[in-house]
Amino acid sequence: MTSVERPHMRWFRRLLVDRSGTSILELSLVAPLMVLMVCGAGDAAVGFARKLALQQAAARAVEMTLAAGLTTTMDTVARSEAAGAAGVPLAQVAVAKWLECNGTVMSSIDDICASGIPARFVSVRVTDTYSSAFRSLLSGMGAGNWSAVPLTGFAEARVQ
């Protein structure tokens, strides 16, 4: 019976010292992780690019408001400019304007400061959501709800 075991043992020993094919084995273990990392980084980059687009749309709307000055149609111009630049509905754009007198916020932007220098401000906030391309995979892994990640672009400027 020992003569039958010896060829098998020699084959097993030779298999233990044989190093051919180890790089393929290592690649098969590492490649899926590398692909997941690259795809995840790409997905995060797309979400970040959308966030930057919202930020730029808000900044553009504030610049248009600064160019137009304090008019009665300022809200409408800023909202339509931001919505068009961001590619979102008007309901997702909020425009706020206010007056500060010596650091105190007044009730209306048209008020007059009793003392000090008036400071009128306008701000534009654009909101949207980003859905990850891997939301079903992430939800299945228990990574939370990735179906709608809220994104906001915000810009503010002093107009007077």
Side-chain angles (χ1 to χ4, degrees), residues 70-109:
L70 290 173
T71 62
T72 55
T73 61
M74 178 180 69
D75 293 355
T76 308
V77 170
R79 286 185 70 209
S80 62
E81 185 64 36
V88 297
L90 284 173
Q92 291 177 235
V93 178
V95 177
K97 55 185 180 176
W98 66 95
L99 168 69
E100 289 184 14
C101 295
N102 294 329
T104 303
V105 177
M106 305 304 283
S107 60
S108 172
I109 194 167

Side-chain angles (χ1 to χ4, degrees), residues 4 6 11 35 39 49 61 102 108-109 115 122 130-131:
V4 174
R6 280 194 175 157
W11 176 81
V35 168
C39 290
N102 294 329
S108 172
I109 194 167
S115 65
V122 65
Y130 173 70
S131 296

Side-chain angles (χ1 to χ4, degrees), residues 5 11 24 35 50 58 67 76 84 99 111 116 134 136 145:
E5 291 177 355
W11 176 81
I24 294 293
V35 168
R50 182 64 185 144
T76 308
L99 168 69
D111 285 349
F134 304 104
S136 58
N145 184 12

Side-chain angles (χ1 to χ4, degrees), residues 79 82 90-96 123-127 154:
R79 286 185 70 209
L90 284 173
Q92 291 177 235
V93 178
V95 177
S123 70
V124 177
R125 181 179 306 273
V126 184
T127 58
F154 179 78

Side-chain angles (χ1 to χ4, degrees), residues 136-158:
S136 58
L137 175 67
L138 291 168
S139 298
M141 292 171 42
N145 184 12
W146 287 85
S147 61
V149 177
L151 301 175
T152 302
F154 179 78
E156 176 180 293
R158 181 176 174 173

